[in-house]
Amino acid sequence: MKQYLAIINFRTLWVLLISAVIVFLAYYFNVYYNVDLTLLSIAIIFPLVFSIRGSFRRREKALEHLSQFRSSLKTVHYFLMANDELSEEHKKEISEILLNISNRFIDHLNSDDHSTKEIDKIINNVLEFVVDQEGLISRSLRDKVFRYMNDLHESVENLHAIHVHRTPISLKAYCKLFVYSFPLIYAPTIIFNVGLETPQWVTYFVVLLTEFILISLYNIQNQLEYPFDNIGLDDIKLDNFRIDR
């Protein structure tokens, strides 16, 4: 049941209320006319579907970058743990650095903070560690570590871009405006098509059902476009991508 109720929120109730009021006023003032709804359907459905597909692709990209993020950290960890030249104290130090990177960045994605200064600082600790232990880490090992740190930086930047940049605001505003205003045209047209002799509940049912579908699609897109906040049912389970999961 939860998966069905997740798409219902205050916008759903507000849109249904507006639709019911417009149908009532259309009957009360005897307003009805015939309008081709094909163009209006394209004007609403196409942008909504486009936005949903874009949000889904962003979620899939986020999963790819999170996998690269964790695998890069784990590989760097394996390389340094396998180095016999490093003491147990040094290995513990770098393990804590990598764990801190993992936890801090995952927490960053789950917050509203758009600044990466702290993230950049803790990632830079890996470079400082490798430089400080230059005599204990061979050149070939350093190259391997830096190679995977490059992958780590790339995944961090991509995930931060997804974290900050969402679906174009203008497109969302356009969709929302049309969803709210659609009953103004739709309700009188349905009255014209079903006829005044048809019971009014039929018109209420058709208009409210259509609006429920449209606002539900909008709510799905709104939840899906930011997959890190654990609000939508399809959000990414970030804890699965921590290095110590």
Side-chain angles (χ1 to χ4, degrees), residues 2 5 21 24 48 75-76 80 106 115 118 120 123 129 136 152 168 183 186 190 196-197 199 220-221 225 234 240 244:
K2 181 181 178 181
L5 298 178
V21 171
F24 172 80
L48 277 174
T75 304
V76 171
L80 294 175
I106 293 298
S115 174
E118 290 300 320
D120 294 337
I123 293 178
F129 176 85
L136 302 177
L152 177 69
Y186 190 57
I190 294 299
L196 294 175
E197 67 280 0
I220 290 172
Q221 186 277 328
E225 72 166 327
D234 297 308
N240 290 339
D244 60 339

Side-chain angles (χ1 to χ4, degrees), residues 171-183:
L171 183 60
K172 283 194 64 178
Y174 166 85
C175 293
K176 190 175 183 179
L177 176 63
F178 267 87
V179 169
Y180 276 86
S181 61
F182 187 60

